[in-house]
Amino acid sequence: MKRAAILISGGGSNMVALVDSMTGDHPARPVLVASNDPKAAGLARAAARGIPVAAVDHRAFPGDRAAFEEALLEPLLAAQPDIICLAGFMRILTPSFVNRFAGRMLNIHPSLLPLYPGLDTHARALAAGDRQAGATVHLVTSALDDGPILGQARVPVMTGDTPETLAARVLAAEHRLYPAVLRRFAAGQTGRLDL
Ligand code: GRF
């Protein structure tokens, strides 16, 4: 059984989708949900599901990313994860942190990478007049929102879409994509999943 740790920064809707998918014959189970924000609403949602939680406030380490990561590593390594899922985790991780989990740290990004790495993906897709948008799950490398793509989900852009309406449509697709990709990854299946 693979041990999955999930890192969040906010509401944790992707975390909930992942946790709720890891049942029955799923080859992974959640062992920790951790956040850089002690007030992240997702922490209470994880605790309500009986998942161990941890919070390390990145604001306690101003300008010292390495010190924050050192503190985060304590509960993270104690959970002995096989897989780490970044799910709405909004901190950039240093190469040394990323390299420690090379090949077994996943992230979900709300665009069809390589389009629109970084922030404000929906507004950028709308400004470009894209007819499609979506989400990508990829292995995390030290380059931001880069790394081998494990899966993508596409959604239509509708006339009159705002960044908010598009974000909601993409988020629903994320909740289908991430659990499906994690299940395959935990089972050792390679090859992209396109939804
Ligand atoms: C989602 O759009 C996800 O793609 C991005 O963070 C947003 C919020 O995710 N990484 P969640 O609801 O906290 O899972």
Side-chain angles (χ1 to χ4, degrees):
M1 190 65 79
K2 298 282 192 223
R3 299 168 62 85
I6 306 171
L7 301 187
I8 65 169
S9 294
S13 70
N14 275 290
M15 174 276 296
V16 167
L18 291 172
V19 165
D20 289 353
S21 75
M22 286 187 261
T23 60
D25 63 353
H26 192 299
R29 286 296 183 276
V31 294
L32 178 72
V33 171
S35 179
N36 62 294
D37 180 353
K39 295 187 178 59
L43 291 171
R45 300 170 81 178
R49 286 164 171 78
I51 315 289
V53 297
V56 177
D57 191 340
H58 70 274
R59 286 169 289 253
F61 306 90
D64 192 346
R65 204 175 287 277
F68 161 67
E69 292 178 354
E70 211 52 50
L72 178 62
L73 276 171
E74 194 182 324
L76 190 54
L77 294 177
Q80 298 179 294
D82 301 300
I83 302 169
I84 295 184
C85 296
L86 306 183
F89 188 68
M90 303 307 276
R91 305 298 299 166
I92 292 176
L93 295 164
T94 64
S96 70
F97 188 99
V98 170
N99 293 336
R100 185 186 283 265
F101 302 105
R104 56 198 183 99
M105 181 153 64
L106 285 60
N107 181 49
I108 189 158
H109 179 75
S111 79
L112 295 173
L113 292 173
L115 291 174
Y116 317 125
L119 299 173
D120 302 322
T121 60
H122 307 304
R124 291 154 69 190
L126 292 174
D130 293 353
R131 307 301 301 140
Q132 280 197 331
T136 302
V137 176
H138 62 94
L139 284 171
V140 175
T141 61
S142 47
L144 181 68
D145 297 331
D146 193 38
I149 290 177
L150 299 177
Q152 288 195 317
R154 290 174 182 277
V155 301
V157 174
M158 318 286 267
T159 309
D161 260 334
T162 64
E164 291 69 31
T165 59
L166 182 53
R169 192 171 313 121
V170 171
L171 193 59
E174 292 175 28
H175 297 162
R176 290 186 289 113
L177 176 67
Y178 212 169
V181 170
L182 174 61
R183 187 183 182 111
R184 290 161 60 92
F185 186 79
Q189 291 167 358
T190 55
R192 275 176 60 134
L193 177 67
D194 284 284
L195 299 182

PDB file of all heavy atoms in Angstrom, residues 141-172:
ATOM      1  N   THR A 141       9.234  19.156 -10.987  1.00  0.00           N
ATOM      2  CA  THR A 141      10.687  19.307 -11.144  1.00  0.00           C
ATOM      3  C   THR A 141      11.042  20.693 -10.601  1.00  0.00           C
ATOM      4  O   THR A 141      10.160  21.461 -10.210  1.00  0.00           O
ATOM      5  CB  THR A 141      11.085  19.236 -12.636  1.00  0.00           C
ATOM      6  OG1 THR A 141      10.417  20.323 -13.302  1.00  0.00           O
ATOM      7  CG2 THR A 141      10.674  17.912 -13.255  1.00  0.00           C
ATOM      8  N   SER A 142      12.305  21.046 -10.601  1.00  0.00           N
ATOM      9  CA  SER A 142      12.680  22.325  -9.974  1.00  0.00           C
ATOM     10  C   SER A 142      12.245  23.514 -10.821  1.00  0.00           C
ATOM     11  O   SER A 142      12.197  24.636 -10.340  1.00  0.00           O
ATOM     12  CB  SER A 142      14.184  22.370  -9.718  1.00  0.00           C
ATOM     13  OG  SER A 142      14.866  21.954 -10.875  1.00  0.00           O
ATOM     14  N   ALA A 143      11.839  23.256 -12.072  1.00  0.00           N
ATOM     15  CA  ALA A 143      11.312  24.372 -12.888  1.00  0.00           C
ATOM     16  C   ALA A 143       9.814  24.499 -12.610  1.00  0.00           C
ATOM     17  O   ALA A 143       9.090  23.506 -12.568  1.00  0.00           O
ATOM     18  CB  ALA A 143      11.543  24.071 -14.362  1.00  0.00           C
ATOM     19  N   LEU A 144       9.319  25.694 -12.412  1.00  0.00           N
ATOM     20  CA  LEU A 144       7.931  25.928 -12.022  1.00  0.00           C
ATOM     21  C   LEU A 144       6.953  25.392 -13.065  1.00  0.00           C
ATOM     22  O   LEU A 144       7.096  25.671 -14.251  1.00  0.00           O
ATOM     23  CB  LEU A 144       7.688  27.436 -11.834  1.00  0.00           C
ATOM     24  CG  LEU A 144       6.272  27.824 -11.394  1.00  0.00           C
ATOM     25  CD1 LEU A 144       5.996  27.360  -9.973  1.00  0.00           C
ATOM     26  CD2 LEU A 144       6.052  29.327 -11.513  1.00  0.00           C
ATOM     27  N   ASP A 145       5.967  24.609 -12.573  1.00  0.00           N
ATOM     28  CA  ASP A 145       4.884  24.112 -13.444  1.00  0.00           C
ATOM     29  C   ASP A 145       5.440  23.462 -14.708  1.00  0.00           C
ATOM     30  O   ASP A 145       4.901  23.635 -15.802  1.00  0.00           O
ATOM     31  CB  ASP A 145       3.934  25.259 -13.810  1.00  0.00           C
ATOM     32  CG  ASP A 145       3.246  25.824 -12.574  1.00  0.00           C
ATOM     33  OD1 ASP A 145       3.050  25.060 -11.613  1.00  0.00           O
ATOM     34  OD2 ASP A 145       2.948  27.028 -12.566  1.00  0.00           O
ATOM     35  N   ASP A 146       6.516  22.756 -14.559  1.00  0.00           N
ATOM     36  CA  ASP A 146       7.139  22.053 -15.679  1.00  0.00           C
ATOM     37  C   ASP A 146       7.108  20.575 -15.308  1.00  0.00           C
ATOM     38  O   ASP A 146       6.306  20.178 -14.506  1.00  0.00           O
ATOM     39  CB  ASP A 146       8.570  22.602 -15.838  1.00  0.00           C
ATOM     40  CG  ASP A 146       9.180  22.174 -17.157  1.00  0.00           C
ATOM     41  OD1 ASP A 146       8.449  22.132 -18.161  1.00  0.00           O
ATOM     42  OD2 ASP A 146      10.365  21.822 -17.156  1.00  0.00           O
ATOM     43  N   GLY A 147       7.919  19.751 -15.877  1.00  0.00           N
ATOM     44  CA  GLY A 147       7.973  18.349 -15.474  1.00  0.00           C
ATOM     45  C   GLY A 147       7.066  17.482 -16.338  1.00  0.00           C
ATOM     46  O   GLY A 147       6.099  17.989 -16.935  1.00  0.00           O
ATOM     47  N   PRO A 148       7.338  16.205 -16.381  1.00  0.00           N
ATOM     48  CA  PRO A 148       6.587  15.269 -17.242  1.00  0.00           C
ATOM     49  C   PRO A 148       5.089  15.278 -16.917  1.00  0.00           C
ATOM     50  O   PRO A 148       4.701  15.221 -15.750  1.00  0.00           O
ATOM     51  CB  PRO A 148       7.197  13.908 -16.919  1.00  0.00           C
ATOM     52  CG  PRO A 148       8.540  14.201 -16.348  1.00  0.00           C
ATOM     53  CD  PRO A 148       8.418  15.524 -15.633  1.00  0.00           C
ATOM     54  N   ILE A 149       4.274  15.369 -17.952  1.00  0.00           N
ATOM     55  CA  ILE A 149       2.821  15.407 -17.779  1.00  0.00           C
ATOM     56  C   ILE A 149       2.286  13.991 -17.569  1.00  0.00           C
ATOM     57  O   ILE A 149       2.585  13.081 -18.353  1.00  0.00           O
ATOM     58  CB  ILE A 149       2.143  16.081 -18.992  1.00  0.00           C
ATOM     59  CG1 ILE A 149       2.478  17.587 -18.989  1.00  0.00           C
ATOM     60  CG2 ILE A 149       0.632  15.864 -18.965  1.00  0.00           C
ATOM     61  CD1 ILE A 149       1.927  18.363 -20.169  1.00  0.00           C
ATOM     62  N   LEU A 150       1.520  13.792 -16.502  1.00  0.00           N
ATOM     63  CA  LEU A 150       0.919  12.477 -16.195  1.00  0.00           C
ATOM     64  C   LEU A 150      -0.530  12.419 -16.668  1.00  0.00           C
ATOM     65  O   LEU A 150      -1.074  11.330 -16.887  1.00  0.00           O
ATOM     66  CB  LEU A 150       0.985  12.197 -14.692  1.00  0.00           C
ATOM     67  CG  LEU A 150       2.375  12.139 -14.081  1.00  0.00           C
ATOM     68  CD1 LEU A 150       2.283  11.926 -12.575  1.00  0.00           C
ATOM     69  CD2 LEU A 150       3.204  11.035 -14.722  1.00  0.00           C
ATOM     70  N   GLY A 151      -1.162  13.581 -16.821  1.00  0.00           N
ATOM     71  CA  GLY A 151      -2.547  13.577 -17.291  1.00  0.00           C
ATOM     72  C   GLY A 151      -3.072  14.975 -17.504  1.00  0.00           C
ATOM     73  O   GLY A 151      -2.537  15.934 -16.945  1.00  0.00           O
ATOM     74  N   GLN A 152      -4.085  15.064 -18.365  1.00  0.00           N
ATOM     75  CA  GLN A 152      -4.742  16.345 -18.608  1.00  0.00           C
ATOM     76  C   GLN A 152      -6.240  16.119 -18.768  1.00  0.00           C
ATOM     77  O   GLN A 152      -6.691  15.060 -19.195  1.00  0.00           O
ATOM     78  CB  GLN A 152      -4.200  17.013 -19.895  1.00  0.00           C
ATOM     79  CG  GLN A 152      -2.780  17.545 -19.743  1.00  0.00           C
ATOM     80  CD  GLN A 152      -2.383  18.511 -20.851  1.00  0.00           C
ATOM     81  OE1 GLN A 152      -2.654  18.286 -22.029  1.00  0.00           O
ATOM     82  NE2 GLN A 152      -1.725  19.598 -20.458  1.00  0.00           N
ATOM     83  N   ALA A 153      -7.009  17.152 -18.352  1.00  0.00           N
ATOM     84  CA  ALA A 153      -8.457  17.132 -18.571  1.00  0.00           C
ATOM     85  C   ALA A 153      -8.818  18.417 -19.303  1.00  0.00           C
ATOM     86  O   ALA A 153      -8.376  19.497 -18.898  1.00  0.00           O
ATOM     87  CB  ALA A 153      -9.204  17.061 -17.240  1.00  0.00           C
ATOM     88  N   ARG A 154      -9.585  18.304 -20.368  1.00  0.00           N
ATOM     89  CA  ARG A 154      -9.973  19.466 -21.171  1.00  0.00           C
ATOM     90  C   ARG A 154     -11.423  19.833 -20.896  1.00  0.00           C
ATOM     91  O   ARG A 154     -12.254  18.945 -20.693  1.00  0.00           O
ATOM     92  CB  ARG A 154      -9.823  19.138 -22.669  1.00  0.00           C
ATOM     93  CG  ARG A 154      -8.386  19.020 -23.090  1.00  0.00           C
ATOM     94  CD  ARG A 154      -8.209  18.550 -24.539  1.00  0.00           C
ATOM     95  NE  ARG A 154      -6.784  18.412 -24.832  1.00  0.00           N
ATOM     96  CZ  ARG A 154      -5.998  19.414 -25.187  1.00  0.00           C
ATOM     97  NH1 ARG A 154      -6.539  20.624 -25.352  1.00  0.00           N
ATOM     98  NH2 ARG A 154      -4.708  19.247 -25.383  1.00  0.00           N
ATOM     99  N   VAL A 155     -11.693  21.147 -20.882  1.00  0.00           N
ATOM    100  CA  VAL A 155     -13.073  21.623 -20.777  1.00  0.00           C
ATOM    101  C   VAL A 155     -13.280  22.684 -21.853  1.00  0.00           C
ATOM    102  O   VAL A 155     -12.322  23.344 -22.264  1.00  0.00           O
ATOM    103  CB  VAL A 155     -13.382  22.225 -19.385  1.00  0.00           C
ATOM    104  CG1 VAL A 155     -13.145  21.205 -18.279  1.00  0.00           C
ATOM    105  CG2 VAL A 155     -12.586  23.497 -19.131  1.00  0.00           C
ATOM    106  N   PRO A 156     -14.511  22.863 -22.326  1.00  0.00           N
ATOM    107  CA  PRO A 156     -14.770  23.912 -23.316  1.00  0.00           C
ATOM    108  C   PRO A 156     -14.772  25.286 -22.647  1.00  0.00           C
ATOM    109  O   PRO A 156     -15.130  25.416 -21.481  1.00  0.00           O
ATOM    110  CB  PRO A 156     -16.152  23.562 -23.854  1.00  0.00           C
ATOM    111  CG  PRO A 156     -16.819  22.856 -22.714  1.00  0.00           C
ATOM    112  CD  PRO A 156     -15.730  22.110 -21.988  1.00  0.00           C
ATOM    113  N   VAL A 157     -14.327  26.278 -23.400  1.00  0.00           N
ATOM    114  CA  VAL A 157     -14.538  27.671 -22.983  1.00  0.00           C
ATOM    115  C   VAL A 157     -15.873  28.081 -23.579  1.00  0.00           C
ATOM    116  O   VAL A 157     -16.131  27.828 -24.759  1.00  0.00           O
ATOM    117  CB  VAL A 157     -13.403  28.585 -23.492  1.00  0.00           C
ATOM    118  CG1 VAL A 157     -13.706  30.050 -23.180  1.00  0.00           C
ATOM    119  CG2 VAL A 157     -12.070  28.170 -22.881  1.00  0.00           C
ATOM    120  N   MET A 158     -16.741  28.629 -22.728  1.00  0.00           N
ATOM    121  CA  MET A 158     -18.083  28.982 -23.201  1.00  0.00           C
ATOM    122  C   MET A 158     -18.170  30.496 -23.445  1.00  0.00           C
ATOM    123  O   MET A 158     -17.507  31.281 -22.764  1.00  0.00           O
ATOM    124  CB  MET A 158     -19.151  28.600 -22.159  1.00  0.00           C
ATOM    125  CG  MET A 158     -18.932  27.255 -21.517  1.00  0.00           C
ATOM    126  SD  MET A 158     -19.335  25.881 -22.608  1.00  0.00           S
ATOM    127  CE  MET A 158     -21.039  25.602 -22.112  1.00  0.00           C
ATOM    128  N   THR A 159     -18.993  30.873 -24.385  1.00  0.00           N
ATOM    129  CA  THR A 159     -19.220  32.309 -24.625  1.00  0.00           C
ATOM    130  C   THR A 159     -19.694  32.961 -23.332  1.00  0.00           C
ATOM    131  O   THR A 159     -20.539  32.397 -22.626  1.00  0.00           O
ATOM    132  CB  THR A 159     -20.303  32.499 -25.712  1.00  0.00           C
ATOM    133  OG1 THR A 159     -19.952  31.698 -26.834  1.00  0.00           O
ATOM    134  CG2 THR A 159     -20.411  33.960 -26.124  1.00  0.00           C
ATOM    135  N   GLY A 160     -19.090  34.101 -23.025  1.00  0.00           N
ATOM    136  CA  GLY A 160     -19.511  34.796 -21.802  1.00  0.00           C
ATOM    137  C   GLY A 160     -18.788  34.322 -20.558  1.00  0.00           C
ATOM    138  O   GLY A 160     -19.023  34.839 -19.462  1.00  0.00           O
ATOM    139  N   ASP A 161     -17.892  33.356 -20.710  1.00  0.00           N
ATOM    140  CA  ASP A 161     -17.130  32.888 -19.550  1.00  0.00           C
ATOM    141  C   ASP A 161     -16.354  34.036 -18.918  1.00  0.00           C
ATOM    142  O   ASP A 161     -15.800  34.896 -19.607  1.00  0.00           O
ATOM    143  CB  ASP A 161     -16.119  31.803 -19.966  1.00  0.00           C
ATOM    144  CG  ASP A 161     -16.629  30.385 -19.653  1.00  0.00           C
ATOM    145  OD1 ASP A 161     -17.462  30.241 -18.729  1.00  0.00           O
ATOM    146  OD2 ASP A 161     -16.165  29.454 -20.310  1.00  0.00           O
ATOM    147  N   THR A 162     -16.310  34.019 -17.609  1.00  0.00           N
ATOM    148  CA  THR A 162     -15.407  34.901 -16.859  1.00  0.00           C
ATOM    149  C   THR A 162     -14.308  34.007 -16.261  1.00  0.00           C
ATOM    150  O   THR A 162     -14.472  32.778 -16.249  1.00  0.00           O
ATOM    151  CB  THR A 162     -16.152  35.582 -15.695  1.00  0.00           C
ATOM    152  OG1 THR A 162     -16.562  34.550 -14.781  1.00  0.00           O
ATOM    153  CG2 THR A 162     -17.368  36.352 -16.204  1.00  0.00           C
ATOM    154  N   PRO A 163     -13.244  34.583 -15.734  1.00  0.00           N
ATOM    155  CA  PRO A 163     -12.250  33.720 -15.070  1.00  0.00           C
ATOM    156  C   PRO A 163     -12.874  32.849 -13.981  1.00  0.00           C
ATOM    157  O   PRO A 163     -12.487  31.703 -13.793  1.00  0.00           O
ATOM    158  CB  PRO A 163     -11.256  34.737 -14.499  1.00  0.00           C
ATOM    159  CG  PRO A 163     -11.339  35.898 -15.435  1.00  0.00           C
ATOM    160  CD  PRO A 163     -12.792  35.987 -15.820  1.00  0.00           C
ATOM    161  N   GLU A 164     -13.904  33.371 -13.326  1.00  0.00           N
ATOM    162  CA  GLU A 164     -14.549  32.630 -12.237  1.00  0.00           C
ATOM    163  C   GLU A 164     -15.358  31.445 -12.772  1.00  0.00           C
ATOM    164  O   GLU A 164     -15.288  30.339 -12.221  1.00  0.00           O
ATOM    165  CB  GLU A 164     -15.463  33.549 -11.418  1.00  0.00           C
ATOM    166  CG  GLU A 164     -14.713  34.598 -10.598  1.00  0.00           C
ATOM    167  CD  GLU A 164     -14.051  35.672 -11.479  1.00  0.00           C
ATOM    168  OE1 GLU A 164     -14.589  35.979 -12.575  1.00  0.00           O
ATOM    169  OE2 GLU A 164     -12.965  36.144 -11.082  1.00  0.00           O
ATOM    170  N   THR A 165     -16.130  31.688 -13.854  1.00  0.00           N
ATOM    171  CA  THR A 165     -16.950  30.583 -14.367  1.00  0.00           C
ATOM    172  C   THR A 165     -16.064  29.513 -15.002  1.00  0.00           C
ATOM    173  O   THR A 165     -16.312  28.313 -14.859  1.00  0.00           O
ATOM    174  CB  THR A 165     -17.974  31.087 -15.411  1.00  0.00           C
ATOM    175  OG1 THR A 165     -17.275  31.714 -16.501  1.00  0.00           O
ATOM    176  CG2 THR A 165     -18.945  32.064 -14.777  1.00  0.00           C
ATOM    177  N   LEU A 166     -14.993  29.944 -15.631  1.00  0.00           N
ATOM    178  CA  LEU A 166     -14.069  28.967 -16.223  1.00  0.00           C
ATOM    179  C   LEU A 166     -13.337  28.200 -15.128  1.00  0.00           C
ATOM    180  O   LEU A 166     -13.175  26.986 -15.185  1.00  0.00           O
ATOM    181  CB  LEU A 166     -13.086  29.673 -17.152  1.00  0.00           C
ATOM    182  CG  LEU A 166     -12.089  28.780 -17.884  1.00  0.00           C
ATOM    183  CD1 LEU A 166     -12.779  27.648 -18.649  1.00  0.00           C
ATOM    184  CD2 LEU A 166     -11.226  29.611 -18.831  1.00  0.00           C
ATOM    185  N   ALA A 167     -12.938  28.923 -14.069  1.00  0.00           N
ATOM    186  CA  ALA A 167     -12.231  28.266 -12.965  1.00  0.00           C
ATOM    187  C   ALA A 167     -13.100  27.175 -12.342  1.00  0.00           C
ATOM    188  O   ALA A 167     -12.613  26.100 -12.008  1.00  0.00           O
ATOM    189  CB  ALA A 167     -11.843  29.292 -11.901  1.00  0.00           C
ATOM    190  N   ALA A 168     -14.390  27.458 -12.203  1.00  0.00           N
ATOM    191  CA  ALA A 168     -15.290  26.470 -11.594  1.00  0.00           C
ATOM    192  C   ALA A 168     -15.402  25.229 -12.475  1.00  0.00           C
ATOM    193  O   ALA A 168     -15.398  24.098 -11.985  1.00  0.00           O
ATOM    194  CB  ALA A 168     -16.665  27.095 -11.383  1.00  0.00           C
ATOM    195  N   ARG A 169     -15.468  25.431 -13.793  1.00  0.00           N
ATOM    196  CA  ARG A 169     -15.573  24.296 -14.715  1.00  0.00           C
ATOM    197  C   ARG A 169     -14.272  23.472 -14.685  1.00  0.00           C
ATOM    198  O   ARG A 169     -14.284  22.243 -14.678  1.00  0.00           O
ATOM    199  CB  ARG A 169     -15.867  24.782 -16.138  1.00  0.00           C
ATOM    200  CG  ARG A 169     -16.269  23.687 -17.106  1.00  0.00           C
ATOM    201  CD  ARG A 169     -16.763  24.248 -18.458  1.00  0.00           C
ATOM    202  NE  ARG A 169     -17.704  25.334 -18.298  1.00  0.00           N
ATOM    203  CZ  ARG A 169     -17.507  26.558 -18.785  1.00  0.00           C
ATOM    204  NH1 ARG A 169     -16.402  26.854 -19.439  1.00  0.00           N
ATOM    205  NH2 ARG A 169     -18.414  27.497 -18.600  1.00  0.00           N
ATOM    206  N   VAL A 170     -13.118  24.177 -14.634  1.00  0.00           N
ATOM    207  CA  VAL A 170     -11.825  23.473 -14.588  1.00  0.00           C
ATOM    208  C   VAL A 170     -11.669  22.738 -13.258  1.00  0.00           C
ATOM    209  O   VAL A 170     -11.221  21.591 -13.220  1.00  0.00           O
ATOM    210  CB  VAL A 170     -10.661  24.460 -14.812  1.00  0.00           C
ATOM    211  CG1 VAL A 170      -9.313  23.784 -14.550  1.00  0.00           C
ATOM    212  CG2 VAL A 170     -10.713  25.027 -16.239  1.00  0.00           C
ATOM    213  N   LEU A 171     -12.111  23.361 -12.177  1.00  0.00           N
ATOM    214  CA  LEU A 171     -11.958  22.728 -10.851  1.00  0.00           C
ATOM    215  C   LEU A 171     -12.717  21.397 -10.794  1.00  0.00           C
ATOM    216  O   LEU A 171     -12.216  20.405 -10.266  1.00  0.00           O
ATOM    217  CB  LEU A 171     -12.433  23.676  -9.751  1.00  0.00           C
ATOM    218  CG  LEU A 171     -12.061  23.313  -8.311  1.00  0.00           C
ATOM    219  CD1 LEU A 171     -10.544  23.219  -8.128  1.00  0.00           C
ATOM    220  CD2 LEU A 171     -12.651  24.314  -7.325  1.00  0.00           C
ATOM    221  N   ALA A 172     -13.912  21.385 -11.394  1.00  0.00           N
ATOM    222  CA  ALA A 172     -14.688  20.133 -11.420  1.00  0.00           C
ATOM    223  C   ALA A 172     -13.920  19.060 -12.195  1.00  0.00           C
ATOM    224  O   ALA A 172     -13.892  17.894 -11.816  1.00  0.00           O
ATOM    225  CB  ALA A 172     -16.054  20.378 -12.051  1.00  0.00           C
TER     226      ALA A 172
END
